[in-house]
Amino acid sequence: MERSLFEKYGGFAVISRIVMDLYDRLLEDDDVGPFFENVDLPRIVDHQTQFVSALMGGPASFTDEQIRRLHERLDVNDAHFDQLKVLLAETLSDHGVAAEDIETVAQAFEQRRGLVVG
């Protein structure tokens, strides 16, 4: 039985470090950074760790309705989503995730575009 990307890359401990790095990058980004001002960052990092874990085949998951509801009050457009996807791919690469595995995660992320973009 093939291991999930979640297992291959070390589970929640490693993905948590990746997400912390991702949020450092998001906060510094002029386009997407403002979405994360004045928010409960530890809570969002925890949720995002679960979300990225799910994208990598881990045990955490969010329903489409939960994802839609969490983003409906935000004015996320395609350019924001694209930038998020670039930052996610760069962060995964910098943490040693193989290119083909990054593509798998990016495709899973892309499948949720319609839930996030308003």
Side-chain angles (χ1 to χ4, degrees):
M1 186 169 169
E2 190 175 328
R3 291 188 309 163
S4 68
L5 297 180
F6 175 80
E7 295 166 326
K8 178 178 178 179
Y9 289 103
F12 282 117
V14 172
I15 293 172
S16 179
R17 287 194 296 274
I18 291 170
V19 170
M20 291 294 290
D21 186 6
L22 173 63
Y23 270 83
D24 286 343
R25 297 170 196 226
L26 292 173
L27 291 169
E28 292 177 12
D29 188 89
D30 291 337
D31 294 322
V32 296
F35 287 106
F36 302 99
E37 293 175 353
N38 303 315
V39 298
D40 183 355
L41 202 55
R43 184 176 68 87
I44 290 190
V45 167
D46 180 58
H47 286 178
Q48 195 72 332
T49 299
Q50 293 176 44
F51 180 67
V52 172
S53 295
L55 293 177
M56 296 179 79
S61 66
F62 289 94
T63 66
D64 288 355
E65 183 56 34
Q66 287 171 312
I67 295 169
R68 183 179 295 109
R69 196 172 62 246
L70 289 168
H71 294 89
E72 67 187 357
R73 66 175 180 77
L74 304 174
D75 190 23
V76 178
N77 63 36
D78 284 312
H80 297 131
F81 191 90
D82 291 342
Q83 181 62 7
L84 242 166
K85 196 161 73 168
V86 166
L87 292 171
L88 176 60
E90 289 174 354
T91 305
L92 290 169
S93 179
D94 289 350
H95 283 267
V97 176
E100 63 271 12
D101 296 336
I102 293 171
E103 182 58 31
T104 299
V105 174
Q107 287 174 0
F109 186 65
E110 182 63 39
Q111 290 173 352
R112 280 117 177 130
R113 179 183 292 266
L115 304 173
V116 175
V117 174

